[in-house]
Amino acid sequence: MQQKIIILDFGSQTTQLIGRRVRELDTFCEILPYNKMPKDDPTVIGVILSGSPFSVYDKEAFKADMNEIRGKYPILGICYGAQYMSYLYGGKVEPANTREYGRANLQTFEKENPLFKGFKDYSQVWMSHGDTITALPEGFRCIASTEKVKYAAYQAENEKLWGVQFHPEVFHSIQGTQLLKNFVVDICGGRQDWSPANFVETTVAELKAQLGSDRVILGLSGGVDSSVAAVLLNKAIGKNLTCIFVDHGMLRKNEFKNVLHDYECLGLNVIGVDASEKFFSELEGVTEPEKKRKIIGKGFIDVFDAEAQKITDAKWLAQGTIYPDRIESLNITGRVIKSHHNVGGLPEKMNLKLCEPLKWLFKDEVRRVGRQLGMPEHLITRHPFPGPGLAVRILGDITREKVRILQDADDIFIQGLRDWKIKDADGNVVKDQYGNEQTLYHQVWQAGVILLPVKSVGVMGDERTYERAVALRAVTSTDAMTADWAHLPYEFMAQVSNDIINKVRGVNRVCYDISSKPPSTIEWE
Ligand code: XMP
């Protein structure tokens, strides 16, 4: 039976991070809204209460029903989770004199407490809260303090119930992973058997049982998620899987051909549909970004549907939906927001049953599963790419000539990132844990070129030119929700700029986008 940790979400920005940390301990976990604790689920081995943007005194503050939890499972409250339990059971929580934010050291802590096993003196932790606990409930014992925070951590006497006011899940809490491991493995008894190999084995068996000899259709995008889903399904049902890869004409240079070739090498049964003509004609003269998106979204569904109709006995539509696409994250108004599916609209239209084999995985786990399945590294480490493709990177109307210019510039930029090796202080190329040489491409979450709707004057040889400007965009991020512009080396940017201006006909100026998200977005449209 698959064990799991439940993480109850009170709306903190770091809730997903807690989930990823638990998974990194090879333990399965589910993130659920604070009021959706499952009843009597024998697979639950422990509960973590997340932080929250609220103060426990706020009228709208989220309140969990602790009767379902206390005494039944080991509990770890983090930040608001700790304050909430303290407040609920008779302690005091008050606004801190100064907001506690940033690094702090645990100056004293109960060395023999199982939560702190393996901790070093003066362990660094990360604080981020406006309120602080000023008195503990009866029967609760303080087990750690920092210089400013007296009740940095507590435990209920003779109970497996802990609260920490710091954030063990964030990178800066040096002993945070150790603390979570102590809780998940030692205290809750996690077996640490959630591994890519295990996932592949059990998922393939489940897919075989679920799908039998049914035919399945899957839309490939060239991205990591749909590719891994396809390879996993191929392993389970082989030729009963038909993949469809649509070229809307806004893909990267040679991408349709290259990706199709990759898929064929992986043994997938793929139909490549070149529908670029349809999309170019429907997009002619359209300048409004959302209209472009709608035309491409609808066109994609129509082309996919027409192709799928040919497979008359298909019963299932498979999608590479991953866990972050489905987590019901809470915003502070209490409304549940669901993030978008990449291939929105397909399931409603097609009257097929939905199969989502990656629906429990985080992005990094999808990549680990891909490696487990023996997929090539360049497919696994591919940057995300928007569904509407280059259409949202050409500001203004779209023509074949503009797509050609952008494809050429983009190709130089991306290839440049792939070729630029990262070296350590001794000049050796840095490798990742799998032995792959690291390049700028790996350090960047996503990169691309934007074709601007302006022309400017330049001089090439003795000629005056009046040509287009492009902007390079490269960002670092962990989930695309927030992003920072990548601090690429000047020498690299100089080389790319030279290459683009010398080789791409129609471009005489290159800029670099130095905006972060928020307030900007990753794409320009
Ligand atoms: P923004 O521009 O909102 O992008 O910061 C966040 C992430 O989403 C991708 N993106 C899209 N993906 N269809 C998609 O499938 C779209 O319409 C779309 N718009 C943006 C973007 O590339 C980035 O990874």
Side-chain angles (χ1 to χ4, degrees), residues 293 340 342 384-388 393 445-446 480 517 521-523:
R293 273 202 170 75
H340 72 287
N342 275 347
F385 187 65
R393 294 185 184 165
W445 163 267
Q446 187 172 358
K517 172 183 178 176
T521 50
I522 296 176
E523 304 296 344

Side-chain angles (χ1 to χ4, degrees), residues 206-391:
E206 280 167 16
L207 288 171
K208 278 184 176 160
Q210 181 186 33
L211 303 171
S213 56
D214 289 355
R215 289 286 290 267
V216 180
I217 304 173
L218 180 144
L220 286 168
S221 67
V224 187
D225 304 342
S226 64
S227 306
V228 172
V231 175
L232 198 57
L233 275 154
N234 186 47
K235 198 172 161 73
I237 60 166
K239 293 294 172 211
N240 275 342
L241 171 71
T242 305
C243 303
I244 300 173
F245 181 31
V246 177
D247 182 3
H248 51 35
M250 317 287 149
L251 297 174
R252 292 192 147 128
K253 189 173 180 175
N254 297 327
E255 190 170 24
F256 186 57
K257 196 175 74 193
N258 294 344
V259 172
L260 215 48
H261 175 73
D262 279 338
Y263 287 149
E264 278 156 10
C265 291
L266 284 166
L268 299 179
N269 179 14
V270 198
I271 301 171
V273 188
D274 178 358
S276 50
E277 203 52 59
K278 166 187 166 72
F279 286 90
F280 276 113
S281 72
E282 286 179 8
L283 285 166
E284 200 178 324
V286 179
T287 55
E288 218 263 304
E290 282 314 300
K291 206 161 170 209
K292 289 184 191 172
R293 273 202 170 75
K294 287 220 168 74
I295 290 172
I296 296 178
K298 181 175 178 309
F300 178 86
I301 291 174
D302 290 346
V303 173
F304 187 90
D305 192 32
E307 224 31 68
Q309 297 290 340
K310 297 179 191 161
I311 304 158
T312 48
D313 54 345
K315 296 230 168 63
W316 297 83
L317 175 72
Q319 288 192 160
T321 317
I322 67 171
Y323 195 35
D325 297 335
R326 301 187 313 120
I327 295 176
E328 295 183 6
S329 43
L330 304 159
N331 75 1
I332 47 171
T333 62
R335 279 199 303 267
V336 171
I337 326 166
K338 270 199 181 170
S339 43
H340 72 287
H341 279 209
N342 275 347
V343 204
L346 269 180
E348 295 79 12
K349 171 144 187 173
M350 298 187 65
N351 201 19
L352 295 170
K353 288 186 272 186
L354 202 57
C355 170
E356 298 179 314
L358 308 180
K359 66 181 181 185
W360 290 110
L361 302 191
F362 288 103
K363 192 92 181 175
D364 44 339
E365 293 176 308
V366 174
R367 294 200 159 112
R368 285 168 70 198
V369 166
R371 287 195 180 92
Q372 179 69 32
L373 289 164
M375 291 170 64
E377 204 54 33
H378 69 270
L379 260 186
I380 288 171
T381 55
R382 267 172 95 86
H383 287 169
F385 187 65
L390 301 181

Side-chain angles (χ1 to χ4, degrees), residues 70 88 123 134 136 197 242 295 299 403:
R70 188 172 179 186
L88 186 70
S123 283
T134 52
L136 288 175
T242 305
I295 290 172
V403 171

